[in-house]
Amino acid sequence: MSTLPFWQHFAPEEDLSAPYTDRFRVRIGPHRLDLPLRVLPDGQQAVSSLLVNQSSFTVMDALSDNLSEIARSLMPDLIVGMPTLGLGLAATVAKACGLERYVPLSTSRKFWYDDSLSAPLSSITSPDKTKRLYLDPNLLPLLRCAKRIVIVDDVVSTGFSLEAAVKVLGKAGASPYAALCVMTQSQRWQGKFLFPVMSCFSSPLFKPCDGGWVEQD
């Protein structure tokens, strides 16, 4: 199934009911948005997918506005952005919070980076466990001055990526005040963190049934 039509327009007001066939409908403030279902490699589970960098400007503006509203309530003094789809969101959120800049984490190792400021990285959609998450050592002074650090990403699913960010920040002598994302996906990340993980909306994990997919958790 092509995902090209998704993330471009808001959906009708009514909610969809199970079993779901190709999409799951979520609420973003006053709007509804259809997310395509993606079957995981095991064939026994599926998730609803959001690629913010493929969304229309109209949808992206609504996501950014909602995310920024939550962020302002946290009163952060530093935003840390997760690669890759969380970086654009982090920049937008930092600006909306009145900050002058944000701190980007990276999966691309520059020659001056220090491996001691890195951690292994994997996610549900990018399972390559050889990838690492890095912090540019030049940005260390920004972290050491901050008290309310908020990590921004597009999606939190298993929590593996967020755990990597926490490890990198810990090696820098910092700890997050909160994490913020557009979508929390399933409940597999819950119980892993000592700080709040906030989102614009949540989506479940799906299991197969006659006629489509139903919520697993």
Side-chain angles (χ1 to χ4, degrees):
M1 179 191 69
S2 172
T3 59
L4 187 62
F6 286 92
W7 316 304
Q8 305 308 304
H9 308 285
F10 294 116
E13 289 296 320
E14 65 270 12
D15 292 331
L16 297 178
S17 57
Y20 309 104
T21 55
D22 64 341
R23 68 193 62 205
F24 181 69
R25 186 165 294 168
V26 297
R27 300 184 184 187
I28 310 167
H31 306 294
R32 305 289 188 276
L33 184 66
D34 284 350
L35 305 179
L37 294 183
R38 292 190 189 272
V39 181
L40 298 182
D42 64 7
Q44 299 304 307
Q45 294 178 319
V47 294
S48 55
S49 175
L50 173 66
L51 294 176
V52 293
N53 62 343
Q54 294 184 20
S55 65
S56 68
F57 294 132
T58 298
V59 171
M60 186 63 178
D61 286 348
L63 295 174
S64 297
D65 288 348
N66 195 288
L67 200 64
S68 296
E69 182 178 354
I70 300 171
R72 283 191 292 267
S73 72
L74 297 171
M75 296 184 292
D77 55 14
L78 185 67
I79 298 294
V80 173
M82 288 289 293
T84 51
L85 299 186
L87 295 180
L89 293 168
T92 299
V93 166
K95 186 175 181 179
C97 290
L99 303 177
E100 294 184 352
R101 64 183 299 171
Y102 77 104
V103 168
L105 300 181
S106 174
T107 55
S108 175
R109 191 190 189 285
K110 309 304 181 185
F111 69 83
W112 64 87
Y113 284 11
D114 189 336
D115 283 339
S116 66
L117 291 175
S118 72
L121 178 68
S122 67
S123 70
I124 190 172
T125 53
S126 301
D128 182 4
K129 292 182 173 57
T130 64
K131 190 183 298 185
R132 296 188 71 83
L133 186 67
Y134 294 93
L135 169 69
D136 187 331
N138 290 293
L139 300 175
L140 279 172
L142 299 177
L143 290 167
R144 289 170 178 163
C145 293
K147 301 298 183 183
R148 298 169 75 94
I149 299 172
V150 175
I151 302 172
V152 172
D153 204 354
D154 61 329
V155 177
V156 173
S157 182
T158 59
F160 292 154
S161 295
L162 186 53
E163 283 181 317
V166 173
K167 290 177 182 177
V168 171
L169 293 183
K171 292 179 178 182
S175 57
Y177 176 75
L180 181 58
C181 61
V182 175
M183 174 172 67
T184 47
Q185 191 180 65
S186 81
Q187 299 178 11
R188 290 167 294 177
W189 57 272
Q190 293 186 357
K192 293 184 176 182
F193 306 104
L194 300 177
F195 50 84
V197 178
M198 306 174 73
S199 65
C200 299
F201 59 85
S202 299
S203 68
L205 196 64
F206 299 90
K207 62 182 179 181
C209 71
D210 290 338
W213 299 85
V214 294
E215 297 180 16
Q216 178 171 311
D217 58 357

